[in-house]
Amino acid sequence: MAAKTDILKMLSDHREAFVSGQELSEQLGLSRTAIWKHINELRKAGYEIVSVKKSGYRLVEKPNVLSEAEIQSGLETDILGQAIQYKDSVKSTQEVAHQLAREGAKEGTIVVADEQTGGRGRLGRPWHSPKGTGIWVSLILRPRIPPQQAPQLTLLAAVGVVKGIREATGLKCDIKWPNDILSHERKLVGILTELQADPDQVNSVIVGMGMNVNVKETDFPAELREIATSIGIEAGQEVDRAEVLQKILRHTEILYREYLREGFRFVKLLWESHAVSLDRIIQARTLQGTIVGRAIGLSDNGFLILEDDTGKRHEISSADIDLPSA
């Protein structure tokens, strides 16, 4: 797979020119025959690669796929995505990632699928994950933090997603506490963070992301069409799924490294700058009851702070949030 990835990266980096077979051979340490074999495999996978005698190969068109080679060929990270488990179809990337983490998978391993048949969000709710239209991915992290701090990684991932989508597509998105990415107050992305931990330490954090990328409005079940959207719908065009994932992984890794060095405060400030719910009266439905108040920010541990009409402040650690019309 590494050789195919390297060939694809060289061709992608020189889209306007031919790359000779000799140059590919010398740069990658492969025989001309091996280069030709890998080129044909890429063609079978949907890449349009032209070859001209004495000129070499040129990548003309690539499929909108999330293969290991496509993701890694444009990756700009040192940790996230350096190991990839790609699945054409899987019940849940979270389940696969949990198993890999238990088996000792290294930090930064990602599980990505073209389709989920049993995707889930918070509280076990089903997540619509049609084939070939989205990014269904789970990241394995191994931070040295106490378990009570792990929910902060949901907020960190939300900032990474917003920044990655913005860089890849120009689309400006909002964050709804704790785990939703919105555009015009319709849901684009959901984030689910789960722990494998001992009482005093985290063994692994599995960060799952379900992203509606090129889902069309007619692809959504009728009950979701008023509340869900996709990056493609909002951008007005089909979006390169691999590029979106590459940018999200890059920004998430930058934030994660800084978080491990400096703590949560800078993530808190970034999250608040993208939050759609701040300075609005919202309704938080918790297991203990419903709280109505003005959202004024995050606490230092990542809880949502609501101020009710008596001036009392409530720190919300887990709740469903209802936003009134803006």
Side-chain angles (χ1 to χ4, degrees):
M1 181 60 69
K4 195 185 300 182
T5 300
D6 290 341
I7 291 170
L8 186 55
K9 187 176 190 313
M10 285 188 68
L11 295 180
S12 297
D13 289 345
H14 299 83
R15 290 288 291 271
E16 303 305 317
F18 283 89
V19 182
S20 71
Q22 184 64 32
E23 183 178 356
L24 288 166
S25 177
E26 291 175 355
Q27 290 286 328
L28 304 179
L30 298 170
S31 69
R32 297 284 289 273
T33 301
I35 296 293
W36 176 82
K37 177 184 176 183
H38 289 305
I39 291 287
N40 279 342
E41 288 175 354
L42 287 169
R43 285 170 171 158
K44 290 176 183 177
Y47 293 87
E48 184 180 346
I49 301 172
V50 298
S51 56
V52 175
K53 192 173 182 180
K54 296 185 179 180
S55 293
Y57 303 98
R58 184 167 73 87
L59 177 62
V60 176
E61 194 65 50
K62 63 179 185 176
N64 199 339
V65 296
L66 282 175
S67 66
E68 181 179 344
E70 182 62 31
I71 294 167
Q72 290 195 327
S73 68
L75 205 54
E76 302 173 275
T77 63
D78 296 319
I79 303 171
L80 299 185
Q82 292 302 315
I84 297 175
Q85 286 276 338
Y86 171 79
K87 306 290 183 182
D88 184 61
S89 181
V90 69
K91 181 180 178 183
S92 165
T93 60
Q94 284 291 93
E95 292 182 3
V96 176
H98 270 286
Q99 182 62 36
L100 290 174
R102 285 191 289 268
E103 294 171 355
K106 67 181 182 179
E107 182 171 54
T109 298
I110 70 171
V111 179
V112 61
D114 201 43
E115 176 188 40
Q116 285 187 128
T117 59
R120 55 191 170 87
R122 287 180 66 241
L123 306 178
R125 293 168 179 145
W127 182 272
H128 186 59
S129 314
K131 188 174 182 62
T133 62
I135 299 172
W136 327 117
V137 63
S138 295
L139 324 178
I140 298 176
L141 303 177
R142 298 190 183 276
R144 295 181 180 178
I145 59 174
Q148 62 267 25
Q149 291 181 11
Q152 296 172 353
L153 294 173
T154 301
L155 307 175
L156 183 153
V159 177
V161 169
V162 167
K163 285 180 169 288
I165 291 174
R166 182 71 179 270
E167 183 180 354
T169 69
L171 188 64
K172 185 179 183 299
C173 301
D174 300 307
I175 304 173
K176 175 188 170 187
W177 188 89
N179 68 333
D180 291 345
I181 309 301
L182 311 180
S183 179
H184 300 104
E185 302 202 354
R186 295 168 72 192
K187 187 169 179 176
L188 285 168
V189 181
I191 300 170
L192 175 65
T193 301
E194 297 176 318
L195 275 180
Q196 294 182 1
D198 295 324
D200 60 344
Q201 69 176 13
V202 168
N203 296 321
S204 63
V205 177
I206 314 299
V207 182
M209 303 177 184
M211 310 182 207
N212 301 326
V213 183
N214 291 317
V215 184
K216 298 177 182 177
E217 190 166 342
T218 53
D219 293 332
F220 288 113
E223 66 271 17
L224 296 181
R225 290 176 189 171
E226 294 300 316
I227 59 175
T229 186
S230 71
I231 299 171
I233 290 171
E234 299 300 311
Q237 61 184 12
E238 184 174 338
V239 174
D240 186 324
R241 291 186 292 158
E243 183 183 5
V244 171
L245 180 56
Q246 288 157 358
K247 300 305 183 187
I248 287 172
L249 292 176
R250 185 174 82 86
H251 282 284
T252 301
E253 181 171 300
I254 291 169
L255 294 166
Y256 181 60
R257 286 179 179 274
E258 187 71 9
Y259 168 78
L260 294 179
R261 287 194 301 267
E262 303 295 336
F264 179 66
R265 180 165 175 75
F266 89 101
V267 175
K268 170 182 179 296
L269 296 174
L270 287 172
W271 186 95
E272 288 176 340
S273 73
H274 293 287
V276 70
S277 51
L278 294 191
D279 201 33
R280 293 170 65 178
I281 301 297
I282 67 173
Q283 182 174 269
R285 290 179 282 115
T286 75
L287 292 176
Q288 291 73 41
T290 298
I291 300 170
V292 177
R294 184 174 298 278
I296 61 175
L298 295 179
S299 68
D300 289 340
N301 55 12
F303 294 171
L304 183 65
I305 303 172
L306 294 188
E307 185 175 86
D308 65 24
D309 57 7
T310 70
K312 181 180 178 181
R313 292 189 173 186
H314 306 261
E315 291 193 4
I316 310 297
S317 61
S318 179
D320 282 335
I321 300 296
D322 293 328
L323 296 175
S325 299

